[in-house]
Amino acid sequence: MAHIELNEIAHSYNKNPKDDSDYALKHIHNEWKDGGAYALLGPSGCGKTTLLNVISGLLTPSQGRVLYDGKDVTDLPPEKRNIAQVFQFPVLYDTMSVFNNLAFPLRNRGIQESEVKKRVMEVAEILDLTPYLNRRAAGLAADAKQKISLGRGLVRSDVAAILFDEPLTVIDPHLKWQLRHKLKEVHEQLKLTLIYVTHDQVEALTFADQVLVMYEGELVQIGTPQELFENPKHKFVGFFIGSPGMNFLACTVDGNTARVDGAGILLDDDTAALAQKAQGKMEIGIRPMHLEVHAESVKGGIPATVKSVQDQGSFKILTVNMAGHTLRTRMPEGQAVPPNEAWLRFPKRWAKLFVDGRLVNK
Amino acid sequence: MGLSLQNINKMVGQEIHLENINLEFESGSRNVLLGRTLAGKTSLLRIMAGIDRPSHGKILIDGEDTTGVWVRKRSVAMVYQQFINYPSLTVYKNIASPLKVSGVPKPEIDRRVRETSKMLHIDDLLDRLPAELSGGQQQRIAIARALVKDAQLLLLDEPLVNLDYKLREDLRIELQEIFERREAIVVYTTTEPAEALMLGGNVVVLDEGRVLQTGATPDVYHNPANTKVAEVFSDPPINYLHCTVEGQTARMGENIEFPLTNHLQSLPAGQYTFGVRSHHLSLNRTSTDDTEIRTKVQLAEINGSETFIHANYDNSRLVVQKDGVHPHRMGTEISIYIHPSCIFAFDAAGVLVASPALNRLGV
């Protein structure tokens, strides 16, 4: 297994890039620790597949170096990097048995048949494929096939990392959680470096210990799922993670108070102090779940009107108007919805300040 | 207008796609067809539209038999899962097309195209071609084309299913607001309980070509007639626990017993399936009446706003829904708490015999 370093990487598909917008990857500089479970999350066109191709060696970046365990592999092709990949659609030999499919990468490398058998049996056991070993791959369901693709990566004891590119796309929704569970289990048992690319937040947040959120060719935040939810460092993370996304309100800061068209929102001391030094476009961000909604006037409550209510069973989404701004709030099933007027409270812990789209914090 | 489906059957070869469907729809009503994939939702919608003919049965509009009437002669508009637009026509011409076909005067077309495109926030894209636009914008054009006709019957077949979840969020809320202002019969199909609840109105729960239950959407959600309806109308899947009732006590698994009170008090002795929706399970004790199940975390799924903790107990899969994003390592020991007031009781045949009192859920 390998520790992977991306050193000052930038890539443009354009031969003579002029400005930032010509770069698919703007400036990527980070490390992927040996044995880590990582997800690369972002919308289509954000550059995540380009980055994956730089890591695997399918693409040589315009700038920067790729290091595996300290060794420069920037110019090496994928087969020299010992990378295994699992794609959206299972890539298998349909006419071969499951056993032979799993054995293929080992036999290809001239490994002794006794060792091949031992490794294949081990991996089949981990992936619950033992009963299917003598079956032809052609007749199996998509989830079993995708497990075989994964198994072909796992059999190689020298594999540096396994890269997954949207691997659950073709899997039935009700089987997805079982495969996610299997992937987690494999990671816990084998401690491999796993990199999982997806636009689906459920897959990224469920699979990874560390999620890298990518937006317009930049890694805008690297953190645990909880950090992305509770402390989004970039407006895009606030918007993209969670449903509905974070509310944002343009504001000015005056002492400890953020002013939004006449409404005052109290900030915590640290944020207020940092805001004094900050310059740029200021916005308050708060998640719908963290906005308190009251049916009666409360201390520190800002008056608002309820425009519409969407019942989703376990909770309700309210669309409210506060000081001329539309906000979404989320109320648990048991809480009564105010009919017209409501009072909103922004708990200090959850009212975040953004300057030019980036979180103000220490 | 009133639309009535009488004894509708649809056979394709030897396969039954719809069986004995009897439904009534009134003007201005919002109706959701809720069911899993292959439940018969699209088949039924196509028959209502007049695109397909039923094998048996009649479709009456205001009492008049219209079973064989060609779709073009009916006042109907339909939106499909796939984004279907005329690729060589501008957004403006796409939206105007149904009005042009029915000979509406030009100034009137212009007024209605602008009004409808504004409602769907595509009024600044009128000169563009569909291929230049995102999936979300393309589906907005298809919806605008359906709305501009002002048809008496507006059919939408999982219109949001092919959109990224971020695009769905807004359109889902906007559609609800648009439907509220319409005179037409709106029929909307979905596989998602949350979407059905958001649309409100009436729901028809379909499974394997049959109607399982109809009624006001929240009523059906809170009183699913049987285990099948409860499954179709719960996401994550409803949690089922097998219980034996004797006297005033329920017993489940090896060693869990709890007293039956309130809505469960008068259950006769026997075998039951107790159902609890995942947001009513908790990892913290909320009251002394809670029943505790000790088990281990199998997986914590996170969707960005909620965490779903999967676990097993007594051969049942349990899912606990928790607000916010929380780490739960696989294999960690946990206690899952059930408050008896949240339990649906189904008898041995799977028929609902007791449902939670709404005031106890705070609804």
Side-chain angles (χ1 to χ4, degrees), chain A residues 177 180-181 184 188 201-202 206 226 229 239-240 242-243 289 308 310-311 314-315 328 330 333-334, chain B residues 165-166 169-170 176-177 197-198 279-280 298 301-306 317 321 323 327 329-330 362:
Chain A
W177 84 272
R180 286 184 199 127
H181 174 245
K184 289 284 266 193
E188 302 257 311
Q201 58 168 336
V202 180
T206 301
Q226 193 168 13
F229 177 74
F239 159 79
F240 196 68
S243 181
M289 193 185 285
S308 68
Q310 275 82 38
D311 187 355
S314 62
F315 57 85
R328 298 253 152 86
R330 194 180 130 128
E333 185 185 42
Chain B
Y165 85 99
K166 273 289 150 191
E169 263 174 34
D170 287 334
Q176 195 203 3
E177 290 165 3
L197 284 164
M198 280 178 75
H279 65 283
H280 289 141
Q298 274 207 315
E301 279 189 312
I302 300 169
N303 77 354
S305 311
E306 292 120 19
R317 171 155 73 100
Q321 177 178 339
D323 276 353
R329 285 193 72 83
M330 285 166 67

Side-chain angles (χ1 to χ4, degrees), chain A residues 43-44 174 176-178 180-181 184-185 188 191 199 201-203 205-206 209 225-227 229-230 238-246 287 289 307-317 319 328 330 332-336, chain B residues 164-166 169-170 172-174 176-177 180 193-199 218 221-222 235 277 279-280 297-306 308 310-312 317 321-331 361-363:
Chain A
S44 50
H174 68 281
K176 282 186 179 178
W177 84 272
Q178 292 177 11
R180 286 184 199 127
H181 174 245
K184 289 284 266 193
E185 212 173 62
E188 302 257 311
K191 294 289 174 206
H199 68 274
Q201 58 168 336
V202 180
E203 280 173 29
L205 301 174
T206 301
D209 301 326
Q226 193 168 13
E227 283 163 0
F229 177 74
E230 295 185 354
F239 159 79
F240 196 68
I241 304 281
S243 181
M246 210 168 198
R287 293 211 175 265
M289 193 185 285
K307 285 170 67 185
S308 68
V309 182
Q310 275 82 38
D311 187 355
Q312 298 205 16
S314 62
F315 57 85
K316 298 181 192 79
I317 306 279
T319 305
R328 298 253 152 86
R330 194 180 130 128
E333 185 185 42
Q335 198 183 333
Chain B
D164 281 0
Y165 85 99
K166 273 289 150 191
E169 263 174 34
D170 287 334
R172 202 143 81 160
I173 293 176
E174 287 171 37
Q176 195 203 3
E177 290 165 3
E180 268 168 19
E195 203 162 87
L197 284 164
M198 280 178 75
L199 286 156
Y221 176 75
H222 291 297
D235 180 39
R277 288 205 165 99
H279 65 283
H280 289 141
V297 175
Q298 274 207 315
L299 179 71
E301 279 189 312
I302 300 169
N303 77 354
S305 311
E306 292 120 19
F308 303 94
H310 294 251
N312 274 330
R317 171 155 73 100
Q321 177 178 339
K322 203 167 151 184
D323 276 353
V325 173
H326 312 278
H328 288 277
R329 285 193 72 83
M330 285 166 67
L361 298 179
V363 176

